[in-house]
Amino acid sequence: MRTPLTPEERERGERLGLLLREARGGRSMTEIAAVAGISPETLRKIETGRAPTPAFFTVAALARALGLSMDELAVLCAPVPV
């Protein structure tokens, strides 16, 4: 059984999805998913927050496909201090 996600993990996943959607712009999910080597459904789940903790290599492939740096994503998805 998988450990439930914390609210912070869910929030971080939602921020990641939003960043990826914004970076994708007018390009289709199918196009970006193909370049990243993942399925469009996987990209859809990440972008909508239904897959809030994607594998590192999936995020790296998406960052490369979208022209984003992993450092940039890490900073933008970092937990917001309370």
Side-chain angles (χ1 to χ4, degrees):
M1 185 167 153
R2 188 172 182 190
T3 305
L5 297 176
T6 66
E8 292 82 15
E9 289 170 323
R10 284 193 224 291
E11 183 182 323
R12 190 172 43 234
E14 289 171 4
R15 279 197 306 274
L16 174 63
L18 177 62
L19 290 167
L20 294 176
R21 269 194 313 278
E22 289 174 353
R24 185 165 55 83
R27 295 176 284 180
S28 73
M29 277 188 179
T30 304
E31 174 189 348
I32 297 303
V35 171
I38 63 173
S39 73
E41 182 58 24
T42 296
L43 179 54
R44 181 176 293 107
K45 286 178 181 178
I46 295 168
E47 284 190 358
T48 59
R50 288 184 14 234
T53 58
F56 173 82
F57 291 105
T58 300
V59 176
L62 285 168
R64 186 179 62 250
L66 294 167
L68 300 170
S69 78
M70 290 295 287
D71 290 336
E72 179 182 21
L73 281 178
V75 169
L76 294 171
C77 290
V80 177
V82 183

